[in-house]
Amino acid sequence: MKKRLVKLLAGLLTILSMGFGLAQFSDVPAGHWAQEAVEVLAARGIIIGFPDGTFRGNEGLTRYQAALIIYRLLQQIEEELRAAGEAPTLEALSPEDLEVLRNAVQELAAELAALGVRVSALEDSAATKEDIARLEALIEELRAQPMPEVEPGMDQAALQDLVDRVEAASIAADTALAQAQQLAEQLEALVQDVEGVKGDVAALTTRLEASEQAVQALNELAVLLNQDLLALQDRVTALEKALAEREEAPALDLEELATKEDVAAVQEFAAALRSDLVNLSERVSRLEGQVAELSKVQYSIKGSLTATYGTATNTGIDFDIDRLFPGNKVSSGSGQQDYGAGPPYRNRVAQRRGDFNQNFTEGSASLSFGVKVVQPGQQGVNVSEASVDLSATAFPGPTTVSVDGASVKGNVDGQPFSVVYSSSTSSFSFNDYLFANDQDNYPATDRQGFVATFSGTKLPLRPEVTVVVGQATDNSNATVPPNQRAFVSAPYFGIRTAFNPLEGFSLAVNYGANDGNRAALGFDASLALGPVKLSALWDSSRTWGSPLSDWFDSTLSDWAYYVKGDLALGPLSLSANYRAIDPEYENGVAGMSSNYHWFYFGVGGNGKAPFAANNKGFGVDAKVNLDLLGGLEVRAYYDDSTDYAGTPATQQVAYGVGATLKLFAGFALNPFYNSLTVGGNVQPGSTGLGAYGNYNAYFYNIPDSRYSTGFGVKLTHDAKAKDALIPGLAITLGYQLFDDGSGSYPFSDVLASASYQGKLAFLNLQPYVRYHSFSDALVGTGNTRPAAYIGYNGANTYSYTTFKFGIKAATDPLDIPLKPALEGVYAQRVTTDITQHNNSTGVNTALPDATERYYRLGLTFNEFLAPNVVAKVGYASYRGQNVVDPAGSFLTRGYGDFSLSAGTDRLFTYPGEVQFPWNLTTGAGTGSGGVDGIYLEVGYYGLTVAYLDAVLLDGTGNVQSYGRAFKISYTTNF
């Protein structure tokens, strides 16, 4: 029994020396030096495992865990002694057992002595040298004391007092440890917060770092103290238990045991440590408060500096270079028309403007300041964000500094508001036809002003209010007649209030005015009820100075109104509308909407307006999706409209059906049938009515060829279909017939095109081919057409055949010096068999073939002589023969880059099918000529250097103009 007791105590000391974990065996390696001890204690129930089945033998032992182990051990000793008929006292221990215990106690004393060495290593960081010296002196004094004899009736109170002091010191040290750990975590979070407060808390960061070092030193000291005091407590507790059970015990050698004074000194040291930690905690709390206060407001600043030098000149005719080098750095870009009739000038795309009449030299800067409140208040007026944008120009001309914009955001009792200022492009939109000025970024009209919004989420009906006020400046030209101006140069004001009484329901009231020009009143509403969505609008605009009563008289005021409904019910989608839009809304005039300004040239000038001006009627559009083969979608529409006055001769009735049947491997079949009459006469297509709206407009190759009279079918292959036969390959095969009012469908159109976009190793390929043939059955017959057709669509039609093909090949950057990448583009179009038919005389005229050819070669060095330096060099050439030239002489202008498009006949200038394939837009064209050029560009971060040398040729190759451009620009952002 005695040997078993000694064995258990030795096992306990082994466990205490390696750390503690509630017993399990899954993570105790086989053959570990402590394996047997662990298994014995586990078998005895003295230790148990963690819930995850681990022992965790390398973790630290807490006082609670040690107390539990000793308690279980002593319980088992008592039970075994009583089972053997022996009293559970120390008399049951033999001298050998006592010697084992004495050696164990000596071990503990040695560990306590080692504590002095470790404390010395930390004394400079946390404790004073006097504290450590006092502790060492007390330990030496203890060692020097004679060995006391333990007699029966030993002073148990003194021993208990010793135990209590050890417990108190241990608790103090453990508390200090926990606080130090918590403070360390808080300091880590504070350091991260301070990092986010740029520049404003540098001194505070230094103080925090010093505090963090002190806490770390105190933390380490507390850990060491806690470990040694815990070990001392375990041994004293065991000794107390043993002495309490012995009436008379042989003398024990307690020379190495600590006295009450030793423990008191340790307790005093722990108390001092705790005091230091409390003081440090208060300091950290103050620092936390300072950081929190600074973090409430965050500041930001950003800006840019740009300096540019360069010019672009020519020796004769100014001409465009965008067709040769798309995206070049010397292009004039989009802007007002710089050729042809005018003023007034209109805004044109880049390909329709000359590039060799510019001065690039300028210097500018921009600067934006911002402030943000992280947690704004929710009571009263609170600002959450504010910013201001500044800009400056240094040359050419005098230096100017201006405020481009500013904004403030916040809340009123938790309800959001904003105020935004712009010096020239104030952006706002009330509804589709009134004060729609959110897309006018060029702008057609300068609008210097404010836009204020407020959302009353806590108010009755939850109103959303928008107020705009400012000064307008018309940029078109003073010669533009008032009926072509959205704004005149004068102050403007508008207010919109949208009420939201129910979820899904909104009702808005609008008012807008431009002094001396217009004033308008409007309402719009929307309602969503399950699968049904309804929307409605009514705007009334009157000229300045008219009485208010005119707003409600459509004969005295300009009205725009519509009602629209949408239904989505399973496979069925249905849309219906009724609309009436006064002609004065053309170009955004009546609605004071610069998005729709005359200033913007080309189709789409009415922006997002759903219906064109001077249009009244109704329409229905429906589609059904059925689960047939890969999917079948059937579409149908009906539209009946006239001009706003309801003139019978303008009545346009259009209806049709179309379908898309998905077959297999990405293929789909698209049949369609359409009918169109204008004033009761059958027409193949519309030329003007509703041309800018979503209804009543035919353009070549729109879906299902709607708003024409004809039928046809297309077979397509979707390059992006998941089951595509060849991913990246798009195919279109089409055939359609158009009626000219005779009922014989004399216009036939045949189309075949294929394009591919894919990659072969490091080579990116984009080839395409297009075949298009349009024929008029009257060509060669000498017959004439009905007067209705001639009056509506023109006197001439054309038959022709076009073959177009091209390819673009480009490599990835090659993994060789300079990391070069190559690019090559070649495209050609040939239109043959062009015959003009005069519909009024029946005369047929054969015209010469039209051709276009374009190629471009480019080389890019992605690491030119130094990392991040990119250099480009390219040569391009364009030739056109008998094509349309919008400038009227030579090929000085283009329209768009269609050189890689399989969807249209032309490479540049007007696509021949922009309206109807039978009229070639403006005829076959007689313009001939070409442009050649070489382009160089080097870029290094914000530095760009570009040089362009080009020549304009006529149809016989004679030089008409040389153009040269040089531009160097540097921009830095901060």
Side-chain angles (χ1 to χ4, degrees):
M1 178 65 66
K2 297 175 182 178
K3 292 182 178 179
R4 186 179 296 111
L5 175 60
V6 172
K7 184 177 181 179
L8 289 173
L9 288 174
L12 174 60
L13 292 175
T14 301
I15 297 302
L16 294 180
S17 68
M18 64 177 285
F20 174 75
L22 296 179
Q24 288 293 341
F25 304 99
S26 63
D27 61 341
V28 177
H32 191 277
W33 60 269
Q35 181 182 9
E36 181 181 359
V38 173
E39 291 177 351
V40 170
L41 291 177
R44 292 283 182 174
I46 295 174
I47 58 176
I48 60 176
F50 283 95
D52 62 355
T54 59
F55 175 64
R56 305 184 188 176
N58 292 321
E59 293 186 358
L61 180 70
T62 68
R63 295 190 312 279
Y64 298 108
Q65 292 169 333
L68 181 61
I69 290 176
I70 295 172
Y71 175 71
R72 289 172 178 163
L73 176 63
L74 293 176
Q75 277 188 326
Q76 193 169 109
I77 292 174
E78 286 185 24
E79 291 175 0
E80 292 192 10
L81 290 175
R82 286 194 176 97
E86 300 179 19
T89 66
L90 289 179
E91 293 179 353
L93 297 176
S94 67
E96 292 81 6
D97 297 333
L98 291 175
E99 182 64 26
V100 171
L101 289 176
R102 182 180 295 110
N103 293 336
V105 171
Q106 288 175 348
E107 270 187 24
L108 295 178
E111 292 178 4
L112 185 59
L115 173 63
V117 178
R118 291 198 295 267
V119 170
S120 296
L122 296 172
E123 60 183 357
D124 292 334
S125 299
T128 65
K129 293 183 178 180
E130 289 76 9
D131 294 331
I132 304 304
R134 186 173 63 254
L135 180 59
E136 290 178 343
L138 288 172
I139 293 174
E140 291 300 327
E141 183 181 347
L142 174 63
R143 290 176 175 173
Q145 290 178 359
M147 171 183 172
E149 287 193 1
V150 180
E151 302 291 343
M154 177 182 179
D155 188 357
Q156 297 296 322
L159 185 59
Q160 182 61 44
D161 181 62
L162 176 64
V163 173
D164 292 342
R165 287 175 176 273
V166 170
E167 174 68 16
S170 178
I171 292 174
D174 190 61
T175 302
L177 171 63
Q179 289 180 341
Q181 290 174 337
Q182 183 178 7
L183 287 172
E185 294 174 356
Q186 293 174 348
L187 283 172
E188 179 64 25
L190 286 174
V191 169
Q192 294 178 358
D193 291 340
V194 170
E195 286 295 330
V197 184
K198 297 180 179 178
D200 295 331
V201 289
L204 182 58
T205 302
T206 304
R207 293 168 57 193
L208 285 175
E209 290 174 352
S211 300
E212 185 181 20
Q213 293 173 357
V215 170
Q216 183 178 0
L218 291 172
N219 182 30
E220 293 174 355
L221 177 60
V223 170
L224 294 173
L225 286 173
N226 183 64
Q227 292 175 349
D228 289 302
L229 290 173
L230 183 60
L232 180 61
Q233 178 192 11
D234 294 338
R235 287 161 172 77
V236 172
T237 302
L239 181 59
E240 181 191 29
K241 294 289 185 179
L243 292 175
E245 295 169 354
R246 180 179 179 139
E247 296 178 358
E248 293 184 359
L252 294 177
D253 183 8
L254 299 179
E255 180 181 357
E256 300 299 330
L257 290 178
T259 65
K260 291 187 293 184
E261 288 76 9
D262 297 330
V263 176
V266 174
Q267 185 178 17
E268 180 182 355
F269 183 76
L273 176 62
R274 175 182 172 86
S275 176
D276 290 340
L277 289 175
V278 169
N279 293 334
L280 183 58
S281 177
E282 292 175 353
R283 290 173 57 196
V284 170
S285 296
R286 289 193 298 270
L287 293 176
E288 282 182 324
Q290 296 177 29
V291 171
E293 189 66 26
L294 290 171
S295 298
K296 287 182 180 179
V297 180
Q298 299 177 354
Y299 301 91
S300 65
I301 181 172
K302 60 181 180 179
S304 67
L305 293 172
T306 299
T308 304
Y309 170 79
T311 59
T313 60
N314 62 76
T315 61
I317 303 173
D318 190 12
F319 59 101
D320 166 69
I321 200 65
D322 291 272
R323 72 182 68 191
L324 293 186
F325 304 103
N328 68 84
K329 300 298 183 181
V330 296
S331 170
S332 61
S334 63
Q336 292 191 27
Q337 175 181 343
D338 55 2
Y339 69 93
Y345 294 124
R346 305 183 71 178
N347 196 52
R348 304 274 178 159
V349 296
Q351 291 87 352
R352 301 196 66 181
R353 304 185 63 217
D355 290 315
F356 294 102
N357 186 19
Q358 302 179 79
N359 185 351
F360 300 113
T361 303
E362 64 178 1
S364 63
S366 68
L367 195 62
S368 298
F369 298 94
V371 59
K372 182 177 181 180
V373 180
V374 177
Q375 293 182 337
Q378 298 297 308
Q379 300 295 325
V381 179
N382 305 279
V383 175
S384 60
E385 293 182 43
S387 66
V388 60
D389 301 324
L390 306 176
S391 68
T393 58
F395 52 86
T399 300
T400 61
V401 179
S402 62
V403 178
D404 292 340
S407 67
V408 176
K409 296 181 180 179
N411 70 77
V412 179
D413 289 336
Q415 303 168 108
F417 77 87
S418 68
V419 180
V420 179
Y421 165 78
S422 175
S423 63
S424 61
T425 56
S426 189
S427 177
F428 49 88
S429 179
F430 283 9
N431 63 36
D432 291 333
Y433 293 95
L434 177 59
F435 262 31
N437 297 285
D438 58 339
Q439 299 175 57
D440 178 32
N441 297 321
Y442 184 74
T445 303
D446 277 341
R447 293 174 305 281
Q448 180 183 14
F450 293 86
V451 178
T453 64
F454 172 74
S455 182
T457 56
K458 298 180 180 179
L459 299 179
L461 304 180
R462 296 185 297 169
E464 297 178 359
V465 182
T466 302
V467 178
V468 301
V469 61
Q471 172 70 39
T473 302
D474 180 44
N475 287 331
S476 298
N477 194 279
T479 61
V480 176
N483 64 354
Q484 291 182 347
R485 298 181 187 179
F487 277 95
V488 298
S489 298
Y492 64 85
F493 170 79
I495 181 170
R496 170 183 171 85
T497 303
F499 300 97
N500 303 276
L502 299 172
E503 187 69 27
F505 175 60
S506 175
L507 174 64
V509 182
N510 309 278
Y511 171 78
N514 178 210
D515 290 3
N517 180 24
R518 287 267 180 174
L521 177 70
F523 300 89
D524 55 83
S526 63
L527 175 64
L529 292 174
V532 178
K533 294 183 180 180
L534 301 174
S535 59
L537 173 149
W538 177 81
D539 290 330
S540 178
S541 175
R542 59 185 179 85
T543 56
W544 190 257
S546 302
L548 298 180
S549 59
D550 288 359
W551 272 332
F552 304 99
D553 188 338
S554 62
T555 64
L556 302 175
S557 184
D558 304 319
W559 285 13
Y561 58 93
Y562 68 75
V563 178
K564 184 179 179 182
D566 296 283
L567 171 67
L569 192 60
L572 174 65
S573 297
L574 181 66
S575 178
N577 75 86
Y578 178 81
R579 74 272 184 178
I581 315 297
D582 191 281
E584 288 300 312
Y585 285 88
E586 184 74 45
N587 301 320
V589 173
M592 293 163 284
S593 299
S594 292
N595 290 352
Y596 316 143
H597 203 287
W598 174 90
F599 179 83
Y600 293 105
F601 175 83
V603 175
N606 273 14
K608 293 182 179 179
F611 311 108
N614 196 23
N615 187 304
K616 178 186 292 184
F618 65 92
V620 179
D621 199 335
K623 65 179 179 181
V624 178
N625 284 284
L626 303 174
D627 188 13
L628 182 63
L629 292 180
L632 172 63
E633 181 178 272
V634 179
R635 300 171 292 273
Y637 73 99
Y638 181 86
D639 195 88
D640 189 337
S641 66
T642 65
D643 62 7
Y644 186 74
T647 306
T650 65
Q651 183 179 19
Q652 180 170 297
V653 178
Y655 60 87
V657 294
T660 298
L661 176 62
K662 295 183 179 179
L663 302 174
F664 55 89
F667 286 96
L669 200 63
N670 173 210
F672 51 86
Y673 171 82
N674 298 283
S675 175
L676 170 69
T677 61
V678 178
N681 299 309
V682 174
Q683 297 292 327
S686 167
T687 60
L689 187 60
Y692 297 127
N694 292 336
Y695 291 83
N696 292 11
Y698 170 80
F699 297 103
Y700 185 66
N701 272 343
I702 62 174
D704 295 334
S705 203
R706 289 186 173 190
Y707 303 99
S708 65
T709 299
F711 60 91
V713 63
K714 290 183 180 179
L715 177 67
T716 61
H717 179 263
D718 185 358
K720 298 181 180 180
K722 293 182 179 180
D723 60 340
L725 180 65
I726 300 177
L729 176 64
I731 299 175
T732 299
L733 302 174
Y735 176 74
Q736 54 187 327
L737 296 173
F738 297 93
D739 192 5
D740 63 351
S742 64
S744 59
Y745 295 93
F747 297 144
S748 64
D749 195 58
V750 178
L751 174 66
S753 66
S755 62
Y756 174 77
Q757 189 166 356
K759 192 169 185 178
L760 180 62
F762 61 88
L763 190 62
N764 301 282
L765 297 174
Q766 190 176 338
Y768 74 92
V769 62
R770 173 184 173 86
Y771 172 83
H772 180 209
S773 177
F774 182 83
S775 62
D776 180 358
L778 295 188
V779 170
T781 65
N783 296 331
T784 61
R785 284 202 157 83
Y789 175 86
I790 297 172
Y792 199 78
N793 282 309
N796 299 322
T797 56
Y798 297 84
S799 293
Y800 58 91
T801 297
T802 293
F803 181 69
K804 177 184 178 185
F805 63 93
I807 185 172
K808 177 181 179 180
T811 70
D812 295 334
L814 303 178
D815 192 17
I816 59 176
L818 304 182
K819 293 185 178 180
L822 302 172
E823 178 192 71
V825 176
Y826 183 86
Q828 185 169 339
R829 185 264 296 191
V830 179
T831 300
T832 61
D833 302 323
I834 304 175
T835 303
Q836 180 189 74
H837 178 74
N838 188 304
N839 293 306
S840 60
T841 64
V843 175
N844 300 288
T845 303
L847 300 176
D849 296 345
T851 62
E852 287 183 289
R853 185 197 67 206
Y854 167 74
Y855 66 88
R856 181 175 75 242
L857 299 174
L859 174 62
T860 299
F861 296 104
N862 292 282
E863 194 171 282
F864 185 66
L865 302 181
N868 301 311
V869 178
V870 178
K872 300 178 182 180
V873 58
Y875 176 81
S877 175
Y878 171 78
R879 293 289 185 274
Q881 192 76 22
N882 299 318
V883 298
V884 175
D885 178 15
S889 61
F890 310 113
L891 298 180
T892 57
R893 303 292 191 271
Y895 176 78
D897 182 2
F898 301 97
S899 59
L900 294 173
S901 172
T904 185
D905 283 356
R906 307 285 180 97
L907 298 185
F908 296 99
T909 69
Y910 290 103
E913 319 83 1
V914 67
Q915 286 183 316
F916 318 120
W918 48 86
N919 70 355
L920 286 178
T921 305
T922 56
T926 58
S928 298
V931 183
D932 294 337
I934 185 171
Y935 178 69
L936 302 172
E937 178 185 322
V938 178
Y940 180 68
Y941 291 105
L943 176 66
T944 301
V945 180
Y947 175 80
L948 176 66
D949 195 313
V951 60
L952 175 68
L953 307 172
D954 63 14
T956 60
N958 296 319
V959 174
Q960 299 298 306
S961 182
Y962 282 110
R964 292 183 177 87
F966 173 74
K967 181 179 181 182
I968 179 171
S969 177
Y970 179 72
T971 300
T972 179
N973 298 307
F974 55 88

